[in-house]
Amino acid sequence: SWAKHVRELDHPHDYIYENMTTYQEFQDAFCPPNIIPDEYKLDRVATPRRPNWCTYQPTHENGTLAAAFERFVFEYDGVSPWDVHLHLQVPMLSNQLTGRPARVNEVFKTETSIKDWENIVSRYGQTLPDDDENLNARSIPRRFNPKLVSIVTKRRICQIAAIDYCCLNFKLPMECDGTEVDVSCSLDKDEQGAYRIQPWSHPHEVSRDRSGVRIDLG
């Protein structure tokens, strides 16, 4: 269960679960009991696999979750993922022994997943099922409030994910596309003389100073 996983996991950033060792406590953080209509209050205790009224509501968190997220972004080294969702796409699409990339025919964006899937299936005379919720990149609202995430934190995320932006030719978010922050990559050679793309600055070298809006890559 979610609670059992939290209690037993030797988490490298355990403050993320502070005061939230059960799913109910986590749900209360983004869906406080006082906003739940009376007719749904008895169904408040839930699990991630058993949706209730709170599941599809926009977050009502007070900044606690966003603050934990921002702290994590600045403490995470960018190269030691402890959860599958932290893996960057380029390493996952590369040979783990040689670093050579796998053949990729097309790259699509999660923000337009439905339209992109429609383009794929239409080539083969097929249509998408009407009720397949797995086609959406995200089927429920975020639990932290992204409006509370600072621009400095967003730029730090861009720097951590620089290799994906470079290799997959993703357009940088507006917050990272400018002179205030340098998100770029370099082309060098490995020991055998083969060319490779590297982040211009390793995540360990990225400044973690949060006092200003500029993050110096050196």
Side-chain angles (χ1 to χ4, degrees):
S1 68
W2 189 89
K4 184 174 184 291
H5 171 73
V6 171
R7 288 194 298 267
E8 296 181 356
L9 176 64
D10 183 16
H11 205 292
H13 305 276
D14 57 4
Y15 56 84
I16 291 177
Y17 294 108
E18 184 176 353
N19 298 322
M20 290 183 292
T21 55
T22 68
Y23 188 77
Q24 178 179 322
E25 291 171 343
F26 174 54
Q27 179 177 279
D28 288 349
F30 65 83
C31 186
N34 64 291
I35 73 165
I36 302 176
D38 291 340
E39 61 267 34
Y40 296 107
K41 287 188 183 296
L42 293 178
D43 194 33
R44 183 167 66 91
V45 179
T47 73
R49 299 184 184 277
R50 186 165 69 92
N52 65 359
W53 184 85
C54 288
T55 302
Y56 303 104
Q57 302 302 312
T59 183
H60 288 265
E61 71 117 341
N62 61 8
T64 300
L65 299 180
F69 172 73
E70 289 203 309
R71 177 179 172 183
F72 164 72
V73 168
F74 279 88
E75 292 185 0
Y76 179 52
D77 62 14
V79 295
S80 305
W82 42 266
D83 183 273
V84 64
H85 297 91
L86 294 175
H87 286 274
L88 296 176
Q89 296 181 60
V90 167
M92 295 290 287
L93 294 172
S94 304
N95 185 295
Q96 300 300 304
L97 298 178
T98 66
R100 293 183 179 277
R103 179 180 176 83
V104 178
N105 294 322
E106 296 180 76
V107 176
F108 295 107
K109 299 174 63 176
T110 56
E111 294 89 340
T112 56
S113 58
I114 296 293
K115 180 180 178 181
D116 292 336
W117 275 115
E118 288 175 342
N119 290 335
I120 293 174
V121 300
S122 65
R123 299 175 195 169
Y124 302 94
Q126 303 295 319
T127 58
L128 294 177
D130 294 330
D131 58 350
D132 192 344
E133 62 181 20
N134 293 320
L135 294 174
N136 288 295
R138 187 172 189 87
S139 59
I140 59 176
R142 294 192 184 279
R143 299 317 190 192
F144 69 87
N145 187 346
K147 294 180 180 179
L148 301 179
V149 177
S150 68
I151 189 172
V152 178
T153 300
K154 294 177 181 178
R155 290 170 177 170
R156 163 76 174 159
I157 295 171
C158 289
Q159 291 167 331
I160 291 176
I163 193 72
D164 277 359
Y165 284 111
C166 292
C167 291
L168 299 176
N169 198 30
F170 288 154
K171 180 177 175 58
L172 286 170
M174 178 180 62
E175 295 87 348
C176 301
D177 188 13
T179 59
E180 291 296 324
V181 60
D182 181 17
V183 179
S184 56
C185 298
S186 62
L187 189 68
D188 66 2
K189 294 183 178 181
D190 62 18
E191 292 77 5
Q192 287 73 44
Y195 282 104
R196 62 185 179 184
I197 296 176
Q198 299 272 40
W200 190 260
S201 183
H202 190 280
H204 283 300
E205 300 169 358
V206 175
S207 169
R208 298 182 182 183
D209 179 14
R210 305 174 64 179
S211 60
V213 295
R214 180 176 179 78
I215 300 179
D216 186 6
L217 290 182

